[in-house]
Amino acid sequence: MKSDVEELMPRLLPVDCGEGTEDVDLSGPPRNPQEYLRQVQLEASLCPDVVVAQIDPKKLKKTQTVNASVTGCLAAPVGFCPSLSWQQHQVSNFSDVRQSISKNRTHWNNHTLDDNVQMPKLTDEEGWKRFCLGEKTYLGSSSSILTEADQEPALDYSKVGFPPLLSIVSRFNQVKLQPSVCFLTLKQGRWLYALLACLEKPLLPEAHSSIRQLARRCAHLRSTMVGLLEDEDLPALNLLICLVARYFEQVDLADQPE
């Protein structure tokens, strides 16, 4: 007659348990393979059917390192919410851009970068800001308007910031993209758009969290623009929220036109 354990977990190996397990010594090492298997069976039979872990919530709270937010975006002020047709049009354009990048990624990845392109290390947050913004904007030494010297053919991107060229962004794998999205601010709007275009579905958990954080940040900035309907940053904020919510299917963050 089979035991209850065998009914739930069929025996994989034939084991002759003899007359019983009373003579099995669990305190010493098994003397042969047969005795080892009998020891395993005896130890399994002594385990309780149900085990409940005793967890102290206070200890978990002290060691908590990540606070995840599942809230949606702040609603757009009256008159600031883009229409549904506008959002659908942006998603369609974005999809075309992604297809073009995917088609040409191998070509641009094999393209040799210029000597002046020194990409920062993955974890160098300030380095990425300097790389994207340029030394002038990053250091606040002058306005973002290019001078005549800056408009010469031999443009020094280290001073005015590197644009998100395909030869650069195509070299990022999905692991590198995630922290880059975290580091950048809305001043690097072109970079944010380009990095979102390079993110592959399904998203890595870290990327999923980063783009949701990005959409919430955009919504928060938009909520402070009451009375500034002509603000030049409004279309960019709406666009980033739209792409995160509509294209990457974070529908709880989407703008809902009235």
Side-chain angles (χ1 to χ4, degrees):
M1 183 176 180
K2 293 184 178 180
S3 65
D4 294 338
V5 175
E6 290 183 71
E7 289 292 342
L8 296 175
M9 303 174 63
R11 183 182 299 178
L12 297 179
L13 296 174
V15 180
D16 183 11
C17 295
E19 296 297 328
T21 57
E22 294 81 3
D23 59 336
V24 176
D25 182 14
L26 296 178
S27 61
R31 293 168 294 183
N32 52 60
Q34 187 86 357
E35 188 168 318
Y36 167 75
L37 293 175
R38 293 178 63 189
Q39 284 185 351
V40 171
Q41 285 186 324
L42 178 58
E43 289 176 344
S45 66
L46 296 176
C47 293
D49 294 334
V50 178
V51 178
V52 179
Q54 301 298 325
I55 300 176
D56 185 357
K58 295 181 179 179
K59 292 182 178 180
L60 293 178
K61 189 174 182 180
K62 291 181 180 179
T63 58
Q64 183 74 22
T65 58
V66 177
N67 294 315
S69 175
V70 294
T71 59
C73 287
L74 293 174
V78 176
F80 284 57
C81 181
S83 66
L84 182 58
S85 60
W86 181 89
Q87 295 182 59
Q88 292 172 338
H89 180 66
Q90 301 306 321
V91 169
S92 177
N93 288 344
F94 184 67
S95 179
D96 292 340
V97 171
R98 285 173 59 87
Q99 290 180 18
S100 178
I101 291 176
S102 178
K103 181 179 179 180
N104 297 287
R105 182 185 292 271
T106 302
H107 167 74
W108 285 108
N109 192 30
N110 295 328
H111 186 77
T112 303
L113 294 176
D114 294 337
D115 294 336
N116 67 329
V117 182
Q118 300 295 327
M119 296 175 62
K121 293 182 179 180
L122 179 61
T123 56
D124 186 2
E125 179 175 351
E126 296 304 315
W128 278 110
K129 291 178 181 179
R130 184 190 295 266
F131 183 82
C132 299
L133 289 174
E135 292 181 358
K136 291 186 175 182
T137 303
Y138 175 77
L139 299 176
S141 58
S142 66
S143 66
S144 59
I145 300 177
L146 299 182
T147 63
E148 292 183 2
D150 292 327
Q151 296 177 19
E152 293 297 325
L155 185 63
D156 188 351
Y157 284 123
S158 65
K159 294 182 178 180
V160 299
F162 286 89
L165 303 173
L166 280 176
S167 57
I168 296 177
V169 297
S170 62
R171 298 172 186 274
F172 291 8
N173 58 34
Q174 298 305 294
V175 176
K176 287 184 178 180
L177 283 173
Q178 182 269 324
S180 301
V181 173
C182 292
F183 294 161
L184 300 181
T185 66
L186 293 180
K187 290 182 179 179
Q188 298 106 343
R190 292 183 302 170
W191 271 95
L192 288 171
Y193 187 94
L195 294 178
L196 288 176
C198 292
L199 283 176
E200 296 178 0
K201 289 184 175 182
L203 297 176
L204 296 175
E206 295 83 359
H208 179 272
S209 175
S210 295
I211 65 171
R212 288 183 63 86
Q213 181 181 353
L214 171 63
R216 292 195 191 96
R217 188 187 309 169
C218 292
H220 173 74
L221 291 175
R222 185 179 60 183
S223 69
T224 65
M225 298 168 60
V226 178
L228 302 174
L229 191 58
E230 302 302 322
D231 193 303
E232 61 181 9
D233 290 335
L234 179 59
L237 295 173
N238 283 339
L239 176 59
L240 292 173
I241 295 171
C242 169
L243 297 180
V244 171
R246 300 290 183 181
Y247 186 86
F248 291 102
E249 302 172 303
Q250 308 301 307
V251 293
D252 60 309
L253 305 179
D255 285 320
Q256 302 296 337
E258 298 179 0

